[in-house]
Amino acid sequence: MDGSAWEVKLRADTLFASSSRETLLFEKGRFTAAAHAGSGFSASEYSAQSFDGDVDMIWNASLPHAERGVMTWHGLVRGDEIEGIAVLWRKDAKPKRFTFHGTRKSV
């Protein structure tokens, strides 16, 4: 995972939600969701485990925000494709769940 970047579409799990673009960055043991970093979510360490078979890698990370709570990310990689879920655990409201999928970004 380290040294990779991914272009994904992120969509809230609500009836009329539209998707937004996000870039996921894995660098020097840290995970950043670029668009969310711009709104105050801090980069953090991630953990990843490789597998043989259909899934190459499973990973997770938690991005904190001082006022909004924590956004947890859980994903899997198959070749040049990535998918998973993200949950925004808000301090003052119910959690908000998202799904994402995308491809490895060319460098």
Side-chain angles (χ1 to χ4, degrees):
M1 294 296 301
D2 220 47
S4 67
W6 304 80
E7 294 292 335
V8 300
K9 287 186 179 179
L10 181 68
R11 184 176 185 275
D13 284 353
T14 58
L15 188 58
F16 297 107
S18 60
S19 61
S20 60
R21 294 186 184 272
E22 177 64 273
T23 301
L24 307 181
L25 305 167
F26 297 85
E27 187 172 39
K28 298 180 182 172
R30 299 184 66 76
F31 169 73
T32 303
H36 283 80
S39 63
F41 284 89
S42 300
S44 72
E45 293 181 354
Y46 69 91
S47 63
Q49 184 176 1
S50 61
F51 288 90
D52 292 329
D54 187 37
V55 175
D56 296 329
M57 186 84 58
I58 294 177
W59 62 274
N60 64 71
S62 297
L63 303 180
H65 188 285
E67 289 102 32
R68 295 179 65 195
V70 175
M71 191 161 191
T72 58
W73 295 76
H74 309 274
L76 60 90
V77 173
R78 290 184 179 107
D80 287 334
E81 297 184 3
I82 192 169
E83 65 181 275
I85 63 167
V87 180
L88 175 57
W89 299 91
R90 300 181 280 192
K91 292 182 178 183
D92 58 353
K94 291 179 10 181
K96 186 172 182 180
R97 182 184 155 108
F98 301 83
T99 57
F100 65 88
H101 68 278
T103 56
R104 188 182 306 266
K105 186 175 177 179
S106 300
V107 179

XYZ file of all heavy atoms in Angstrom:
836
model
N 0.825 -1.190 0.000
C 0.000 0.000 0.000
C 0.867 1.251 0.000
O 0.508 2.212 -0.650
C -0.906 0.040 1.233
C -1.956 -1.050 1.297
S -3.201 -1.017 0.009
C -3.955 0.555 0.191
N 1.959 1.198 0.760
C 2.763 2.406 0.915
C 3.283 2.888 -0.439
O 3.734 2.103 -1.257
C 3.927 2.153 1.872
C 4.157 3.331 2.783
O 3.172 3.833 3.350
O 5.312 3.761 2.899
N 3.177 4.188 -0.657
C 3.619 4.784 -1.902
C 2.559 4.767 -2.993
O 2.837 5.155 -4.122
N 1.332 4.364 -2.666
C 0.280 4.320 -3.683
C -0.729 5.444 -3.495
O -0.897 5.984 -2.409
C -0.436 2.965 -3.678
O -1.173 2.779 -2.489
N -1.414 5.787 -4.586
C -2.488 6.776 -4.587
C -3.649 6.192 -5.378
O -3.450 5.459 -6.354
C -2.012 8.076 -5.214
N -4.860 6.509 -4.979
C -6.064 5.919 -5.558
C -7.104 7.001 -5.802
O -7.345 7.835 -4.927
C -6.636 4.874 -4.610
C -5.653 3.818 -4.244
C -4.660 3.908 -3.297
C -5.523 2.530 -4.823
N -3.936 2.757 -3.258
C -4.450 1.881 -4.186
C -6.219 1.846 -5.809
C -4.056 0.600 -4.508
C -5.835 0.558 -6.121
C -4.764 -0.046 -5.478
N -7.718 6.979 -6.972
C -8.840 7.865 -7.296
C -10.114 7.075 -7.045
O -10.306 6.014 -7.649
C -8.784 8.308 -8.752
C -7.606 9.189 -9.090
C -7.670 10.558 -8.440
O -8.774 11.036 -8.114
O -6.600 11.146 -8.230
N -10.964 7.570 -6.144
C -12.189 6.844 -5.806
C -13.401 7.759 -5.908
O -13.289 8.989 -5.882
C -12.120 6.232 -4.387
C -10.961 5.261 -4.260
C -12.059 7.291 -3.313
N -14.560 7.117 -6.008
C -15.841 7.797 -5.875
C -16.384 7.405 -4.513
O -16.466 6.223 -4.182
C -16.804 7.388 -6.978
C -16.434 7.974 -8.322
C -17.486 7.667 -9.353
C -17.109 8.289 -10.686
N -18.106 7.974 -11.716
N -16.744 8.405 -3.732
C -17.248 8.223 -2.375
C -18.722 8.601 -2.381
O -19.087 9.681 -2.862
C -16.453 9.123 -1.427
C -16.778 9.086 0.044
C -16.382 7.740 0.647
C -16.044 10.207 0.760
N -19.570 7.714 -1.854
C -21.011 7.964 -1.875
C -21.616 7.642 -0.520
O -21.378 6.559 0.030
C -21.665 7.091 -2.945
C -23.140 7.346 -3.119
C -23.695 6.503 -4.266
N -25.073 6.826 -4.531
C -26.106 6.295 -3.894
N -25.904 5.397 -2.943
N -27.339 6.639 -4.197
N -22.392 8.586 0.014
C -23.101 8.355 1.273
C -24.174 7.293 1.060
O -24.779 7.220 -0.019
C -23.731 9.646 1.773
N -24.390 6.469 2.067
C -25.418 5.430 1.985
C -26.782 6.000 2.341
O -27.385 5.640 3.353
C -25.077 4.262 2.913
C -23.986 3.383 2.372
O -23.571 3.582 1.217
O -23.534 2.497 3.112
N -27.240 6.921 1.520
C -28.577 7.488 1.675
C -29.288 7.384 0.335
O -28.655 7.225 -0.716
C -28.532 8.955 2.141
O -27.783 9.715 1.193
C -27.893 9.074 3.518
N -30.595 7.525 0.343
C -31.414 7.272 -0.826
C -31.043 8.143 -2.031
O -30.912 7.652 -3.138
C -32.893 7.457 -0.466
C -33.887 7.043 -1.533
C -33.711 5.587 -1.918
C -35.297 7.298 -1.040
N -30.858 9.440 -1.837
C -30.625 10.341 -2.969
C -29.221 10.918 -3.003
O -28.993 11.984 -3.547
C -31.644 11.478 -2.939
C -33.062 10.988 -3.090
C -33.925 10.987 -2.007
C -33.513 10.504 -4.304
C -35.225 10.529 -2.135
C -34.809 10.034 -4.439
C -35.672 10.056 -3.357
N -28.268 10.219 -2.441
C -26.891 10.727 -2.377
C -26.210 10.681 -3.741
O -26.412 9.752 -4.514
C -26.085 9.916 -1.379
N -25.420 11.701 -4.002
C -24.577 11.681 -5.194
C -23.156 11.340 -4.744
O -22.816 11.447 -3.576
C -24.612 13.029 -5.905
O -24.145 14.041 -5.047
N -22.336 10.939 -5.692
C -20.970 10.579 -5.329
C -20.045 11.778 -5.512
O -20.319 12.687 -6.287
C -20.487 9.388 -6.150
O -20.497 9.696 -7.518
N -18.954 11.757 -4.761
C -17.929 12.791 -4.892
C -16.592 12.095 -5.130
O -16.401 10.938 -4.768
C -17.872 13.663 -3.633
O -17.573 12.883 -2.501
N -15.680 12.826 -5.723
C -14.353 12.271 -5.991
C -13.448 12.488 -4.777
O -13.532 13.509 -4.101
C -13.742 12.924 -7.219
C -14.491 12.601 -8.478
C -13.764 13.146 -9.700
N -14.539 12.914 -10.899
C -14.471 11.809 -11.623
N -13.668 10.842 -11.254
N -15.202 11.666 -12.703
N -12.587 11.522 -4.541
C -11.646 11.583 -3.433
C -10.351 10.914 -3.880
O -10.381 9.979 -4.689
C -12.231 10.871 -2.218
C -11.357 10.791 -1.006
C -11.029 12.144 -0.403
O -10.050 12.751 -0.862
O -11.740 12.570 0.511
N -9.243 11.403 -3.396
C -7.947 10.773 -3.642
C -7.437 10.216 -2.324
O -7.320 10.954 -1.344
C -6.939 11.795 -4.209
O -7.457 12.327 -5.433
C -5.596 11.129 -4.486
N -7.167 8.930 -2.305
C -6.634 8.262 -1.117
C -5.138 8.100 -1.299
O -4.684 7.563 -2.311
C -7.298 6.894 -0.936
C -8.827 6.876 -0.926
C -9.321 5.445 -0.715
C -9.399 7.824 0.103
N -4.371 8.548 -0.316
C -2.913 8.519 -0.391
C -2.345 7.682 0.749
O -2.718 7.878 1.912
C -2.348 9.938 -0.298
C -2.882 10.942 -1.320
C -2.497 12.355 -0.921
C -2.358 10.602 -2.692
N -1.438 6.781 0.417
C -0.738 5.946 1.393
C 0.742 6.260 1.241
O 1.357 5.889 0.241
C -1.001 4.469 1.122
C -2.449 4.078 1.264
C -3.328 4.225 0.210
C -2.915 3.571 2.460
C -4.663 3.866 0.337
C -4.243 3.211 2.608
C -5.122 3.358 1.537
N 1.305 6.946 2.225
C 2.694 7.378 2.102
C 3.383 7.398 3.459
O 2.858 7.970 4.416
C 2.736 8.776 1.474
C 4.132 9.249 1.147
C 4.106 10.546 0.344
O 3.280 11.419 0.623
O 4.947 10.653 -0.555
N 4.534 6.754 3.523
C 5.358 6.705 4.736
C 4.562 6.233 5.952
O 4.661 6.789 7.039
C 5.999 8.063 5.002
C 6.934 8.487 3.888
C 7.568 9.824 4.158
C 8.450 10.206 2.975
N 8.951 11.558 3.074
N 3.730 5.204 5.732
C 2.963 4.614 6.824
C 1.750 5.408 7.248
O 1.117 5.083 8.237
N 1.407 6.451 6.481
C 0.271 7.302 6.828
C -0.753 7.325 5.701
O -0.406 7.215 4.533
C 0.743 8.708 7.168
C 1.687 8.675 8.384
C 2.134 10.017 8.843
N 1.114 10.877 9.388
C 0.564 10.765 10.597
N 0.946 9.793 11.406
N -0.343 11.618 11.013
N -2.021 7.489 6.086
C -3.137 7.549 5.152
C -3.731 8.947 5.169
O -3.923 9.538 6.228
C -4.205 6.530 5.562
C -5.509 6.684 4.832
C -5.620 6.319 3.498
C -6.626 7.194 5.471
C -6.823 6.453 2.822
C -7.825 7.328 4.813
C -7.931 6.953 3.487
N -4.022 9.460 3.981
C -4.686 10.756 3.831
C -5.804 10.613 2.813
O -5.604 10.010 1.752
C -3.703 11.825 3.316
O -2.599 11.918 4.202
C -4.362 13.183 3.207
N -6.954 11.158 3.132
C -8.037 11.328 2.165
C -7.980 12.813 1.790
O -8.340 13.673 2.584
C -9.379 10.946 2.773
N -7.473 13.114 0.594
C -7.094 14.481 0.233
C -8.222 15.506 0.405
O -8.014 16.562 0.998
C -6.559 14.513 -1.193
N -9.411 15.229 -0.099
C -10.510 16.192 0.020
C -10.905 16.393 1.481
O -11.206 17.510 1.904
C -11.712 15.738 -0.802
N -10.878 15.326 2.268
C -11.222 15.444 3.687
C -10.116 16.149 4.470
O -10.387 16.838 5.449
C -11.541 14.070 4.273
C -12.897 13.580 3.883
N -13.141 13.012 2.656
C -14.078 13.628 4.529
C -14.424 12.714 2.577
N -15.017 13.074 3.700
N -8.877 15.983 4.044
C -7.774 16.701 4.699
C -7.972 18.206 4.532
O -7.699 18.979 5.443
C -6.434 16.265 4.124
N -8.491 18.612 3.372
C -8.759 20.020 3.125
C -9.844 20.589 4.015
O -9.928 21.806 4.204
N -10.678 19.721 4.589
C -11.721 20.192 5.498
C -11.400 19.879 6.961
O -12.275 19.923 7.812
C -13.082 19.606 5.108
O -13.081 18.202 5.231
N -10.133 19.563 7.245
C -9.700 19.457 8.629
C -9.478 18.065 9.188
O -9.131 17.926 10.358
N -9.664 17.016 8.405
C -9.388 15.667 8.894
C -7.887 15.413 8.787
O -7.303 15.556 7.724
C -10.161 14.616 8.090
C -11.611 14.553 8.442
C -12.531 15.357 7.783
C -12.057 13.712 9.441
C -13.877 15.321 8.105
C -13.398 13.659 9.781
C -14.316 14.472 9.110
N -7.274 15.041 9.878
C -5.826 14.844 9.930
C -5.427 13.490 9.353
O -6.145 12.500 9.499
C -5.334 14.905 11.376
O -5.644 16.148 11.944
N -4.263 13.446 8.715
C -3.690 12.177 8.261
C -3.363 11.326 9.482
O -3.132 11.848 10.575
C -2.427 12.437 7.445
N -3.346 10.010 9.303
C -3.009 9.134 10.422
C -2.348 7.868 9.898
O -2.340 7.602 8.699
C -4.261 8.776 11.224
O -5.075 7.887 10.504
N -1.827 7.090 10.820
C -1.239 5.807 10.459
C -2.341 4.872 9.960
O -3.503 5.020 10.342
C -0.555 5.185 11.670
C 0.663 5.965 12.121
C 1.355 5.324 13.316
O 0.825 4.334 13.871
O 2.424 5.816 13.690
N -1.966 3.955 9.105
C -2.908 2.943 8.642
C -2.300 1.573 8.899
O -1.091 1.432 9.085
C -3.243 3.120 7.152
C -2.109 2.814 6.211
C -1.928 1.538 5.697
C -1.201 3.802 5.833
C -0.882 1.251 4.841
C -0.156 3.531 4.973
C -0.004 2.255 4.475
O 1.023 1.975 3.628
N -3.161 0.568 8.918
C -2.664 -0.798 9.009
C -3.149 -1.552 7.774
O -4.234 -1.272 7.256
C -3.132 -1.490 10.287
O -4.530 -1.610 10.305
N -2.332 -2.455 7.289
C -2.667 -3.234 6.108
C -2.139 -4.651 6.268
O -1.092 -4.860 6.878
C -2.069 -2.585 4.858
N -2.877 -5.577 5.716
C -2.479 -6.981 5.766
C -2.651 -7.570 4.372
O -3.706 -7.408 3.748
C -3.350 -7.730 6.771
C -2.952 -9.162 6.970
C -3.784 -9.832 8.047
O -4.680 -9.238 8.637
N -3.492 -11.088 8.290
N -1.621 -8.233 3.882
C -1.703 -8.836 2.550
C -2.230 -10.261 2.646
O -2.095 -10.923 3.676
C -0.340 -8.808 1.868
O 0.591 -9.537 2.614
N -2.839 -10.688 1.548
C -3.442 -12.019 1.476
C -3.106 -12.662 0.148
O -2.830 -11.981 -0.840
C -4.980 -11.924 1.583
C -5.466 -11.578 2.943
C -5.637 -10.266 3.320
C -5.755 -12.570 3.860
C -6.092 -9.932 4.583
C -6.206 -12.255 5.127
C -6.376 -10.933 5.485
N -3.178 -13.987 0.103
C -3.103 -14.725 -1.152
C -4.535 -14.944 -1.626
O -5.458 -15.010 -0.825
C -2.423 -16.081 -0.949
C -0.948 -15.923 -0.614
O -0.338 -14.953 -1.086
O -0.421 -16.778 0.128
N -4.709 -15.058 -2.919
C -6.041 -15.356 -3.444
C -6.691 -14.156 -4.087
O -6.032 -13.304 -4.679
N -8.021 -14.061 -3.939
C -8.823 -13.046 -4.617
C -8.535 -11.628 -4.128
O -8.586 -10.676 -4.894
C -10.309 -13.380 -4.426
C -11.207 -12.478 -5.236
O -10.835 -12.129 -6.370
O -12.288 -12.112 -4.743
N -8.224 -11.466 -2.851
C -7.964 -10.144 -2.266
C -6.467 -9.997 -2.028
O -5.843 -10.851 -1.420
C -8.727 -9.982 -0.934
C -8.380 -8.682 -0.266
C -10.231 -10.089 -1.159
N -5.883 -8.900 -2.523
C -4.450 -8.671 -2.337
C -4.128 -8.075 -0.970
O -3.136 -8.413 -0.349
C -3.917 -7.718 -3.419
C -4.039 -8.308 -4.805
O -3.965 -9.546 -4.942
O -4.217 -7.533 -5.755
N -4.989 -7.135 -0.509
C -4.676 -6.385 0.714
C -5.971 -5.919 1.369
O -6.919 -5.544 0.687
C -3.829 -5.168 0.332
C -3.287 -4.352 1.449
S -1.760 -4.992 2.143
C -0.678 -5.026 0.735
N -5.991 -5.954 2.687
C -7.067 -5.351 3.478
C -6.416 -4.296 4.363
O -5.353 -4.534 4.928
C -7.805 -6.402 4.333
C -8.543 -7.388 3.425
C -8.763 -5.731 5.299
C -9.246 -8.497 4.162
N -7.035 -3.117 4.469
C -6.440 -2.019 5.221
C -7.511 -1.253 5.995
O -8.704 -1.349 5.698
C -5.681 -1.062 4.287
C -6.573 -0.410 3.270
C -6.926 -0.913 2.054
C -7.245 0.832 3.416
N -7.771 -0.051 1.424
C -7.989 1.034 2.240
C -7.308 1.800 4.410
C -8.773 2.167 2.032
C -8.090 2.925 4.206
C -8.801 3.099 3.041
N -7.061 -0.485 6.988
C -7.972 0.399 7.720
C -7.191 1.566 8.324
O -5.979 1.472 8.533
C -8.773 -0.363 8.775
C -7.911 -0.940 9.846
O -7.371 -0.217 10.667
N -7.742 -2.249 9.844
N -7.930 2.643 8.561
C -7.346 3.851 9.152
C -8.460 4.670 9.793
O -9.636 4.516 9.436
C -6.645 4.687 8.083
N -8.094 5.544 10.717
C -9.035 6.459 11.361
C -8.487 7.874 11.273
O -7.375 8.136 11.736
C -9.230 6.088 12.837
O -9.791 4.804 12.955
N -9.276 8.766 10.665
C -8.854 10.155 10.497
C -9.611 11.043 11.477
O -10.828 11.189 11.377
C -9.126 10.630 9.059
C -8.471 9.818 7.944
C -8.826 10.402 6.592
C -6.972 9.754 8.133
N -8.919 11.668 12.420
C -9.591 12.508 13.411
C -9.848 13.926 12.898
O -9.130 14.440 12.047
C -8.597 12.528 14.577
C -7.261 12.369 13.924
C -7.500 11.484 12.731
N -10.890 14.542 13.447
C -11.221 15.946 13.193
C -11.569 16.548 14.547
O -12.361 15.983 15.299
C -12.400 16.056 12.232
C -12.690 17.440 11.772
N -13.291 18.379 12.568
C -12.445 18.039 10.582
C -13.418 19.503 11.894
N -12.906 19.322 10.673
N -11.026 17.700 14.855
C -11.197 18.307 16.182
C -12.660 18.536 16.551
O -13.056 18.309 17.691
C -10.424 19.622 16.258
N -13.497 18.975 15.615
C -14.896 19.270 15.934
C -15.880 18.213 15.440
O -16.908 17.985 16.054
C -15.316 20.616 15.329
C -14.696 21.826 16.008
C -13.541 22.387 15.182
O -13.601 22.292 13.944
O -12.593 22.904 15.786
N -15.579 17.584 14.307
C -16.571 16.736 13.656
C -16.544 15.283 14.110
O -17.486 14.539 13.834
C -16.405 16.814 12.149
C -16.715 18.224 11.649
C -16.544 18.384 10.174
N -17.510 17.557 9.457
C -17.400 17.287 8.162
N -16.398 17.760 7.472
N -18.296 16.550 7.564
N -15.479 14.824 14.756
C -15.411 13.434 15.193
C -14.288 12.685 14.514
O -13.215 13.224 14.271
N -14.541 11.433 14.152
C -13.540 10.579 13.535
C -14.164 9.900 12.317
O -15.316 9.455 12.364
C -13.050 9.488 14.519
C -12.101 8.523 13.841
C -12.391 10.116 15.721
N -13.395 9.810 11.240
C -13.851 9.077 10.056
C -12.987 7.830 9.919
O -11.771 7.928 9.776
C -13.759 9.936 8.808
C -14.453 9.353 7.622
S -14.777 10.639 6.408
C -15.873 9.764 5.309
N -13.631 6.667 10.027
C -12.907 5.406 9.891
C -13.046 4.913 8.456
O -14.096 5.060 7.832
C -13.435 4.336 10.865
O -14.829 4.119 10.633
C -13.222 4.750 12.300
N -11.968 4.353 7.949
C -11.910 3.830 6.583
C -11.498 2.370 6.645
O -10.546 2.027 7.345
C -10.890 4.606 5.763
C -11.231 6.038 5.538
C -11.130 7.056 6.435
C -11.723 6.620 4.336
N -11.525 8.233 5.867
C -11.894 7.992 4.570
C -12.022 6.102 3.074
C -12.365 8.864 3.592
C -12.490 6.967 2.109
C -12.662 8.333 2.367
N -12.192 1.507 5.896
C -11.894 0.084 5.817
C -11.995 -0.309 4.348
O -13.031 -0.050 3.722
C -12.893 -0.750 6.632
C -13.047 -0.264 8.033
N -12.210 -0.662 9.046
C -13.915 0.616 8.580
C -12.575 -0.052 10.164
N -13.596 0.731 9.901
N -10.931 -0.898 3.806
C -10.967 -1.209 2.389
C -10.204 -2.456 2.027
O -9.485 -3.027 2.847
N -10.392 -2.858 0.775
C -9.634 -3.977 0.238
C -9.176 -3.640 -1.168
O -9.776 -2.828 -1.869
C -10.426 -5.278 0.281
C -11.752 -5.374 -0.470
C -11.530 -5.861 -1.876
C -12.654 -6.339 0.265
N -8.070 -4.258 -1.544
C -7.443 -4.027 -2.844
C -7.392 -5.340 -3.601
O -7.013 -6.370 -3.035
C -6.012 -3.466 -2.665
C -5.293 -3.376 -3.999
C -6.047 -2.120 -1.972
N -7.798 -5.264 -4.861
C -7.681 -6.385 -5.802
C -6.975 -5.840 -7.039
O -7.587 -5.116 -7.818
C -9.042 -6.918 -6.199
C -9.779 -7.637 -5.113
C -11.090 -8.215 -5.669
N -11.803 -8.932 -4.669
C -12.920 -8.504 -4.080
N -13.455 -7.355 -4.413
N -13.513 -9.239 -3.163
N -5.709 -6.150 -7.193
C -4.960 -5.629 -8.341
C -4.887 -4.119 -8.306
O -4.394 -3.532 -7.349
N -5.422 -3.467 -9.338
C -5.430 -2.001 -9.408
C -6.773 -1.409 -9.026
O -7.091 -0.269 -9.378
C -5.053 -1.547 -10.827
C -3.577 -1.741 -11.108
O -2.783 -1.743 -10.144
O -3.214 -1.889 -12.283
N -7.598 -2.166 -8.296
C -8.905 -1.679 -7.856
C -8.976 -1.680 -6.341
O -8.401 -2.531 -5.674
C -10.018 -2.535 -8.450
C -10.066 -2.458 -9.960
C -11.233 -3.229 -10.554
O -12.050 -3.781 -9.787
O -11.313 -3.272 -11.783
N -9.715 -0.690 -5.811
C -9.884 -0.541 -4.368
C -11.363 -0.310 -4.086
O -12.076 0.285 -4.904
C -9.010 0.621 -3.835
C -8.929 0.617 -2.308
C -9.501 1.964 -4.362
C -7.866 1.566 -1.755
N -11.848 -0.804 -2.959
C -13.228 -0.579 -2.555
C -13.328 -0.702 -1.045
O -12.432 -1.253 -0.397
C -14.173 -1.575 -3.225
C -13.940 -3.009 -2.797
C -14.864 -3.973 -3.497
O -16.003 -4.156 -3.006
O -14.452 -4.524 -4.529
N -14.412 -0.170 -0.492
C -14.597 -0.297 0.943
C -15.684 0.601 1.479
O -16.538 1.100 0.731
N -15.624 0.798 2.793
C -16.585 1.657 3.480
C -15.832 2.669 4.328
O -14.702 2.438 4.743
C -17.568 0.855 4.367
C -16.816 0.118 5.481
C -18.396 -0.100 3.538
C -17.720 -0.434 6.557
N -16.492 3.781 4.566
C -16.001 4.791 5.498
C -17.177 5.192 6.380
O -18.314 5.243 5.906
C -15.454 6.001 4.747
N -16.920 5.445 7.646
C -17.970 5.861 8.567
C -17.503 7.114 9.290
O -16.417 7.126 9.877
C -18.322 4.763 9.596
C -19.412 5.243 10.538
C -18.726 3.468 8.895
N -18.335 8.155 9.227
C -18.078 9.378 9.980
C -18.796 9.258 11.313
O -20.022 9.253 11.373
C -18.566 10.608 9.212
C -18.457 11.941 9.934
C -17.012 12.223 10.366
C -18.981 13.070 9.063
N -18.008 9.111 12.370
C -18.539 8.993 13.726
C -18.597 10.392 14.296
O -17.627 10.904 14.841
C -17.651 8.078 14.568
C -17.585 6.695 14.006
C -16.669 6.216 13.119
C -18.492 5.632 14.273
N -16.944 4.908 12.820
C -18.056 4.521 13.512
C -19.625 5.508 15.078
C -18.721 3.300 13.546
C -20.274 4.283 15.108
C -19.830 3.201 14.353
N -19.752 11.042 14.154
C -19.927 12.442 14.552
C -20.165 12.557 16.051
O -20.808 11.701 16.652
C -21.073 13.061 13.776
C -20.812 13.015 12.280
C -21.910 13.640 11.500
N -23.029 12.703 11.352
C -24.039 12.893 10.524
N -24.090 13.984 9.792
N -25.002 12.012 10.429
N -19.650 13.643 16.614
C -19.775 13.859 18.054
C -21.218 14.148 18.463
O -21.642 13.790 19.551
C -18.883 15.022 18.486
C -17.409 14.716 18.378
C -16.587 15.885 18.858
C -15.115 15.557 18.806
N -14.285 16.641 19.318
N -21.968 14.817 17.603
C -23.299 15.280 17.997
C -24.437 14.690 17.161
O -25.540 15.220 17.162
C -23.345 16.802 17.914
C -23.010 17.313 16.519
O -22.615 16.504 15.665
O -23.140 18.515 16.290
N -24.183 13.607 16.439
C -25.222 13.036 15.584
C -24.947 11.548 15.345
O -23.918 11.017 15.753
C -25.261 13.781 14.254
N -25.880 10.916 14.649
C -25.706 9.508 14.305
C -24.545 9.347 13.326
O -24.244 10.262 12.563
C -26.989 8.978 13.663
C -28.135 8.882 14.622
C -29.437 8.383 14.022
C -29.389 7.822 12.643
N -30.692 7.373 12.130
N -23.922 8.182 13.314
C -22.851 7.940 12.347
C -23.381 8.027 10.915
O -24.535 7.703 10.645
C -22.395 6.513 12.652
C -22.912 6.206 14.009
C -24.131 7.041 14.206
N -22.516 8.456 10.010
C -22.873 8.540 8.595
C -21.958 7.585 7.834
O -20.740 7.684 7.921
C -22.704 9.966 8.090
C -23.185 10.162 6.681
C -23.165 11.637 6.302
C -23.697 11.833 4.895
N -23.684 13.261 4.527
N -22.557 6.678 7.077
C -21.814 5.626 6.377
C -21.672 5.970 4.894
O -22.592 6.498 4.272
C -22.549 4.310 6.549
C -21.876 3.138 5.916
C -22.763 1.910 6.072
N -22.479 0.950 5.032
C -21.847 -0.185 5.233
N -21.461 -0.522 6.426
N -21.630 -0.998 4.228
N -20.507 5.644 4.339
C -20.198 5.865 2.931
C -19.639 4.580 2.336
O -19.055 3.771 3.053
C -19.117 6.944 2.767
C -19.472 8.278 3.332
C -19.293 8.546 4.683
C -19.969 9.279 2.516
C -19.599 9.787 5.210
C -20.274 10.523 3.032
C -20.099 10.780 4.381
N -19.767 4.416 1.034
C -19.062 3.371 0.309
C -18.145 4.051 -0.697
O -18.394 5.191 -1.119
C -20.029 2.426 -0.430
O -20.857 3.173 -1.311
C -20.889 1.659 0.551
N -17.068 3.366 -1.076
C -16.164 3.921 -2.081
C -15.613 2.809 -2.957
O -15.550 1.653 -2.563
C -15.030 4.728 -1.440
C -14.074 3.939 -0.599
C -12.960 3.340 -1.150
C -14.298 3.790 0.768
C -12.075 2.610 -0.363
C -13.424 3.067 1.566
C -12.303 2.470 0.991
N -15.261 3.191 -4.178
C -14.586 2.278 -5.104
C -13.811 3.113 -6.119
O -14.164 4.261 -6.389
C -15.579 1.349 -5.808
C -16.495 2.061 -6.759
N -17.626 2.710 -6.339
C -16.407 2.257 -8.097
C -18.207 3.258 -7.372
N -17.508 3.015 -8.454
N -12.721 2.543 -6.621
C -11.936 3.271 -7.581
C -10.735 2.474 -8.051
O -10.663 1.251 -7.869
N -9.763 3.202 -8.631
C -8.600 2.566 -9.228
C -7.313 3.257 -8.797
O -7.324 4.420 -8.366
C -8.670 2.588 -10.768
O -8.812 3.941 -11.183
C -9.849 1.770 -11.269
N -6.218 2.522 -8.966
C -4.895 3.043 -8.650
C -4.604 4.235 -9.558
O -4.872 4.183 -10.763
C -3.843 1.957 -8.846
C -2.464 2.345 -8.367
C -1.443 1.219 -8.636
N -1.866 -0.066 -8.088
C -1.492 -0.514 -6.887
N -0.715 0.209 -6.115
N -1.906 -1.700 -6.471
N -4.059 5.278 -8.988
C -3.726 6.481 -9.735
C -2.349 6.313 -10.368
O -1.408 5.893 -9.702
C -3.724 7.685 -8.786
C -3.543 9.001 -9.439
C -3.683 10.121 -8.429
C -3.423 11.460 -9.081
N -3.581 12.541 -8.128
N -2.244 6.649 -11.625
C -0.960 6.590 -12.317
C -0.062 7.698 -11.816
O -0.496 8.826 -11.628
C -1.142 6.731 -13.828
O -1.954 5.699 -14.309
N 1.197 7.364 -11.619
C 2.147 8.366 -11.126
C 2.981 8.891 -12.267
O 3.312 8.268 -13.193
C 3.046 7.754 -10.032
C 4.032 8.785 -9.541
C 2.191 7.254 -8.907
